Amino acid sequence: MELSVEELSGGLRCVKLAGRLDLKGTQEVDLKFTALVAGTKQSVIVDMAGVDYIASIGIRMFISNVKALASVGAKMIILKPQKMVDDVLRMAGLDAIIPIHTELAAATEAIKGK
Amino acid sequence: MSQTVDIVLKNDLGELERLNQLVEEFGGQAGLHVEEQYALFLCLEEIVTNIVNYAWPDGGEHDFSIHIAVDDEHIKVQFEDDGVPFDPTKYPEPDMSKPASQRPVGGLGIHLVRQSTNELWYQHRDGKNVFIIKKKRKKAA
């Protein structure tokens, strides 16, 4: 499981994930992801284009982080999930609490907008 | 024609990796569609995690079994463990209308299994939890 950070213009941060968010993969990135997301208390875009599998453990990692962000009025946006990953995110009802976008421009707008 | 595989696992989450490899191999032989393979992985991971975490609260080393059968119509998986009786089909659905901060932590795994399959069946018999999930195959184009 890989995690990298891209600093976008306007002080916006994009965390890119790649690999499998199964039990093993989620355990590999959980601490680092949580430090970068919940830990910084700033709105963030999570680029999931490189993630080809997610199970409930990965979804729970997102939920606990978005809860921490919401408590300080910050947002998380999910960007470009692959088709089957997108299906599972929606099955879990995650799209109701974390907006999912396919384009960076729309994701950036969603972060800036109220 | 039906293709089957029997897998015995220990109550150790490290076994998930071996399970994934075996299932990937089996899925290839059985000609599973990539979406079917995903659903199968997901259900196996969620159910195996539950069994390993909750079936034997006193710990110790235990084995449990998985039987996978694939034919033209269905993918069927049977789980058998001799842990504490637990009926996953009775587990309440999480309330998806609640905001994130009020959602319970548990129940998401079995919710995903329900959503990814067409039929769940459970019986406690001969001291064992027998849990079967069934999914209709995608029709060939």
Side-chain angles (χ1 to χ4, degrees), chain A residues 34-56:
Chain A
T34 301
L36 282 165
V37 177
T40 56
K41 299 189 164 83
Q42 285 177 15
S43 292
V44 67
I45 293 173
V46 180
D47 185 331
M48 290 190 72
V51 174
D52 47 27
Y53 177 90
I54 189 166
S56 67

Side-chain angles (χ1 to χ4, degrees), chain B residues 18 28 77 92 119 128 130:
Chain B
R18 183 169 74 94
V77 188
E119 216 178 300
K128 283 188 172 178
V130 181

Side-chain angles (χ1 to χ4, degrees), chain B residues 105-118:
Chain B
V105 181
L108 185 58
I110 186 70
H111 171 74
L112 294 179
V113 171
R114 273 197 190 108
Q115 296 291 313
S116 312
T117 53
N118 302 103

Side-chain angles (χ1 to χ4, degrees), chain A residues 50-104:
Chain A
V51 174
D52 47 27
Y53 177 90
I54 189 166
S56 67
I57 181 100
I59 291 167
R60 280 198 287 268
M61 178 177 82
F62 288 142
I63 292 176
S64 65
N65 275 275
V66 81
K67 277 182 184 176
L69 289 185
S71 70
V72 294
K75 292 178 189 172
M76 185 195 294
I77 306 285
I78 287 177
L79 181 64
K80 287 185 285 192
Q82 295 179 18
K83 165 82 173 63
M84 285 180 286
V85 170
D86 186 61
D87 288 346
V88 174
L89 296 178
R90 289 174 198 279
M91 243 183 237
L94 200 74
D95 54 319
I97 51 181
I98 307 176
I100 300 174
H101 288 279
T102 52
E103 299 292 335
L104 179 61

Side-chain angles (χ1 to χ4, degrees), chain A residues 2-48:
Chain A
E2 288 170 34
L3 184 157
S4 61
V5 179
E6 194 179 336
E7 301 294 345
L8 306 173
S9 64
L12 191 56
R13 175 173 279 177
C14 178
V15 175
K16 290 188 172 188
L17 296 171
R20 291 171 67 85
L21 280 173
D22 55 6
L23 181 74
K24 182 167 169 275
T26 304
Q27 284 172 343
E28 281 168 14
V29 294
D30 196 356
L31 272 180
K32 198 171 173 191
F33 184 82
T34 301
L36 282 165
V37 177
T40 56
K41 299 189 164 83
Q42 285 177 15
S43 292
V44 67
I45 293 173
V46 180
D47 185 331
M48 290 190 72

